[in-house]
Amino acid sequence: MITDLKEIEDSALNLNRKDKARLADKLLQSIHGKIDPDIQQAWIDEVQKRKESLKSGDASLHSASDVLNEARKRLQK
């Protein structure tokens, strides 16, 4: 059994992307507890809705710096 944190980190970093995601999910659950399935589904639905908005052109992406600059301008008025 691997018990040294460095060995665990090295092993985890060598996993493929899908296994890294599974491991990250398990680690987060061990810290925060199980995720409510209804809340998880609501987030999945929201992500899908936003993805479709981007695809259809109803929404667009903006850089963080542009958004912050615009917010600063509006706050100065």
Side-chain angles (χ1 to χ4, degrees):
M1 182 172 143
I2 300 173
T3 56
D4 178 61
L5 181 59
K6 180 69 175 140
E7 287 180 62
I8 294 169
E9 288 174 347
D10 291 343
S11 294
L13 291 172
N14 285 315
L15 293 171
N16 65 46
R17 181 177 246 174
K18 184 178 178 181
D19 289 339
K20 284 179 186 176
R22 282 186 49 226
L23 177 59
D25 184 49
K26 285 188 177 282
L27 290 171
L28 288 171
Q29 283 184 30
S30 75
I31 294 170
H32 300 292
K34 282 279 190 192
I35 298 170
D36 181 322
D38 293 334
I39 293 172
Q40 184 176 27
Q41 188 58 53
W43 276 112
I44 291 169
D45 294 345
E46 181 64 23
V47 168
Q48 290 298 336
K49 184 175 104 178
R50 291 180 187 199
K51 184 178 167 184
E52 291 303 318
S53 275
L54 288 169
K55 276 181 159 179
S56 70
D58 290 337
S60 59
L61 298 176
H62 303 277
S63 72
S65 61
D66 288 347
V67 171
L68 291 172
N69 287 335
E70 181 64 25
R72 286 185 187 104
K73 284 180 195 174
R74 290 181 183 200
L75 289 171
Q76 290 175 352
K77 289 183 180 179

